[in-house]
Amino acid sequence: MRQSQLFTKTRKDVSKSEEATNARILLKAGYIDQLMAGVYTYLPLGYRVIRNIERIVREEMNAIGGQEILMPALHPKSVWEETGRWDTIDVLYRFTTHYTGMEVALGSTHEEIVTPTAKKFVASYKDLPFATYQIQTKFRDEKRAKSGVLRGREFIMKDLYSFHTSEEDLDAYYEKAIEAYHRVYKRLGIGSTTYKTYASGGTFSKYSHEFQTLSPVGEDTVYVCHDCKIGVNEEIIHEMDGCPECGAKLEQTTAIEAGNIFKLKTKFSDSFGLSFTDKDGTEKPVYMGCYGIGISRAMGVITEFFAEGDSKMTWPEEVAPFKVHILALNTDKEDVMNTAEKLYQDLSSTGTEVLYDDRDERPGSKFSDADLIGIPHRVVVSSRSLEQGGVEYNGEVISLPDLLTKLSA
Ligand code: ATP
Ligand code: MG
């Protein structure tokens, strides 16, 4: 894409009072726009990042047999009453409709929707197991929404639900999901610092697991073993005598919850009467698991991890909005513009995603914009580089053919 055509620009008017680094960087770089606290528009650059995160998550969920669906965001009160959660979920947005006076909620999670849907298709053990997921906007009336896209009141989540004939089958799938989650975080560039963390299982199970990305701005306190890359959540630390895997002493730190998985067992199938006829003819409840990842929060986590100060960012390659940023410096020089243009065309024709800064701007502002936008590979075309026989990449002048070999998709 030509940067002169991008309708957003970097912004200098972002308030210093914005508390979170991710919000400052993403607002300044023109990735997001804020409508109100916790509610954002994803602008072209930001939405490319979101779609890349979604693609990675989709690929990994498909790889563990997840079938993608899209559930409604608008829910009748009745399904929330079935589970008794209408009155107990404090963040649930509830309201009465204008014409019919019907009470409805905006979905904060979707067990209440997916379980009755599954019931329409599950009769026998032959219909199980299966897993289904969606990537969708969730609504939560969060008390505090000052952490940029880390905590939205409207945010994008992937939620997968799995359905099984037995606890053993659920357990086996749960382990597969853990592996898939590790692959997701690795591809997002935060694998080395995202720890599987033991958390309370609530009423459903002994433990659930969170995927916690260690970060000084994290709102959660976790106790970690760096050798095993394992954490223990604050709620259950008193039950633990050191690392649950190796027994070593745990270190207290802060982290951001990037994902959370639960064994729901039969809690929701009991509420909705989701059962199946087993091989021996007896009727049994379906065992369920649920598996969430914050998609828009992941954009914030990655920003917090890869930002250097308030005006420099480098996106990991798989999530970056573009792979290559071409900066043409001397826009009044025909040879510079011709070379930059040819490079842009040649790279694009191999399927490489390129942002081409063809704007008539001073080199200084091109560099500072590029620092903020954070595209991982930067190529500078200038009169000076052409005199030295090519273009500048990673601090060296290299020839066009060499560059094309290095950066082609
Ligand atoms: P938190 O403790 O941070 O409020 P949660 O435990 O309530 O999160 P879950 O219900 O487990 O969240 O949701 C699954 C995932 O969705 C979380 O692990 C997180 O990555 C993401 N998420 C939850 N709440 C928000 C939010 N308000 N904004 C953005 N992402 C969120
Ligand atoms: Mg959670």
Side-chain angles (χ1 to χ4, degrees), residues 56-57 60-61 64 158 174-198 209-213 225 227-231 245 258-261 291-293 318:
I56 291 169
V57 170
E60 298 300 342
M61 293 305 108
I64 56 167
K158 181 283 303 181
Y174 191 86
E175 293 306 317
K176 267 170 62 175
I178 288 174
E179 292 312 312
Y181 269 53
H182 283 307
R183 288 193 295 274
V184 166
Y185 296 116
K186 186 165 181 218
R187 293 177 65 183
L188 294 179
I190 51 175
S192 63
T193 182
T194 302
Y195 289 12
K196 184 180 92 175
T197 299
Y198 289 72
H209 292 91
E210 295 169 344
F211 289 80
Q212 292 278 2
T213 308
C225 169
D227 288 338
C228 302
K229 293 186 174 295
I230 285 289
E245 318 247 310
N260 199 182
I261 62 176
Y291 315 79
I293 290 184
E318 263 208 88

Side-chain angles (χ1 to χ4, degrees), residues 3 10 12 325 359 364-374:
Q3 211 167 329
T10 59
K12 299 207 162 38
H325 202 170
R359 300 169 308 158
S365 59
K366 291 202 177 199
F367 282 118
S368 57
D369 284 357
D371 282 350
L372 201 51
I373 291 171

Side-chain angles (χ1 to χ4, degrees), residues 208-339:
S208 70
H209 292 91
E210 295 169 344
F211 289 80
Q212 292 278 2
T213 308
L214 310 190
S215 164
V217 303
E219 291 179 6
D220 292 11
T221 300
V222 292
Y223 298 81
V224 297
C225 169
H226 292 296
D227 288 338
C228 302
K229 293 186 174 295
I230 285 289
V232 174
N233 175 315
E234 205 171 21
E235 298 161 0
I236 58 159
I237 186 67
H238 52 272
E239 295 169 27
M240 295 281 180
D241 231 7
C243 171
E245 318 247 310
C246 77
K249 195 166 175 292
L250 298 168
E251 180 188 315
Q252 181 183 331
T253 184
T254 55
I256 306 166
E257 186 190 310
N260 199 182
I261 62 176
F262 285 90
K263 292 177 185 171
L264 301 172
K265 299 193 177 171
T266 64
K267 174 170 161 69
F268 290 90
S269 19
D270 289 344
S271 295
F272 290 100
L274 170 62
S275 61
F276 68 100
T277 309
D278 209 348
K279 279 183 189 146
D280 59 7
T282 59
E283 198 69 9
K284 293 180 180 164
V286 171
Y287 279 79
M288 289 174 60
C290 77
Y291 315 79
I293 290 184
I295 301 284
S296 45
R297 179 176 287 186
M299 175 159 86
V301 173
I302 296 165
T303 310
E304 294 286 346
F305 189 66
F306 288 97
E308 293 165 54
D310 260 8
S311 33
K312 187 162 163 43
M313 172 68 195
T314 311
W315 291 94
E317 204 162 294
E318 263 208 88
V319 294
F322 294 93
K323 181 178 170 188
V324 180
H325 202 170
I326 301 175
L327 313 191
L329 292 196
N330 315 89
T331 46
D332 53 335
K333 296 282 189 312
E334 210 170 311
D335 56 346
V336 169
M337 295 314 276
N338 287 344
T339 306

Side-chain angles (χ1 to χ4, degrees), residues 11-280:
R11 288 176 49 195
K12 299 207 162 38
D13 59 343
V14 172
S15 164
K16 289 224 162 48
S17 65
E18 191 65 62
E19 285 175 35
T21 300
N22 76 86
R24 288 197 300 272
I25 292 257
L26 295 171
L27 287 163
K28 280 164 67 173
Y31 277 61
I32 59 171
D33 184 42
Q34 189 184 47
L35 179 64
M36 59 186 196
V39 181
Y40 296 92
T41 294
Y42 305 106
L43 295 167
L45 294 172
Y47 196 47
R48 279 177 162 260
V49 171
I50 292 284
R51 286 209 314 267
N52 286 338
I53 297 170
E54 288 181 356
R55 177 176 41 76
I56 291 169
V57 170
R58 263 195 188 98
E59 285 173 8
E60 298 300 342
M61 293 305 108
N62 292 346
I64 56 167
Q67 301 175 40
E68 189 169 7
I69 60 173
L70 181 61
M71 289 184 262
L74 192 61
H75 305 169
K77 181 179 183 179
S78 55
V79 292
W80 287 90
E81 281 180 324
E82 296 276 349
T83 56
R85 296 210 290 182
W86 175 262
D87 294 310
T88 57
I89 296 199
D90 55 348
V91 295
L92 191 65
Y93 281 107
R94 315 170 187 85
F95 58 98
T96 305
T97 61
H98 181 63
Y99 288 115
T100 59
M102 186 184 173
E103 288 183 273
V104 293
L106 292 178
S108 60
T109 179
H110 280 74
E111 287 83 3
E112 273 78 355
I113 314 306
V114 77
T115 315
T117 299
K119 191 178 168 177
K120 292 171 188 159
F121 301 100
V122 173
S124 129
Y125 68 91
K126 291 179 192 158
D127 302 322
L128 295 163
F130 72 94
T132 184
Y133 73 98
Q134 64 174 349
I135 294 178
Q136 195 219 25
T137 298
K138 297 272 191 272
F139 298 86
R140 291 187 185 181
D141 193 1
E142 300 279 359
K143 192 168 176 185
R144 194 176 173 282
K146 291 186 178 166
S147 311
V149 294
L150 293 178
R151 187 172 298 285
R153 294 200 166 109
E154 176 180 329
F155 61 96
I156 306 170
M157 193 205 284
K158 181 283 303 181
D159 42 328
L160 180 137
Y161 304 87
S162 69
F163 300 83
H164 309 269
T165 54
S166 66
E167 192 164 355
E168 295 69 47
D169 197 53
L170 165 62
D171 290 348
Y173 189 80
Y174 191 86
E175 293 306 317
K176 267 170 62 175
I178 288 174
E179 292 312 312
Y181 269 53
H182 283 307
R183 288 193 295 274
V184 166
Y185 296 116
K186 186 165 181 218
R187 293 177 65 183
L188 294 179
I190 51 175
S192 63
T193 182
T194 302
Y195 289 12
K196 184 180 92 175
T197 299
Y198 289 72
S200 92
T203 51
F204 319 136
S205 186
K206 187 156 169 61
Y207 297 119
S208 70
H209 292 91
E210 295 169 344
F211 289 80
Q212 292 278 2
T213 308
L214 310 190
S215 164
V217 303
E219 291 179 6
D220 292 11
T221 300
V222 292
Y223 298 81
V224 297
C225 169
H226 292 296
D227 288 338
C228 302
K229 293 186 174 295
I230 285 289
V232 174
N233 175 315
E234 205 171 21
E235 298 161 0
I236 58 159
I237 186 67
H238 52 272
E239 295 169 27
M240 295 281 180
D241 231 7
C243 171
E245 318 247 310
C246 77
K249 195 166 175 292
L250 298 168
E251 180 188 315
Q252 181 183 331
T253 184
T254 55
I256 306 166
E257 186 190 310
N260 199 182
I261 62 176
F262 285 90
K263 292 177 185 171
L264 301 172
K265 299 193 177 171
T266 64
K267 174 170 161 69
F268 290 90
S269 19
D270 289 344
S271 295
F272 290 100
L274 170 62
S275 61
F276 68 100
T277 309
D278 209 348
K279 279 183 189 146
D280 59 7

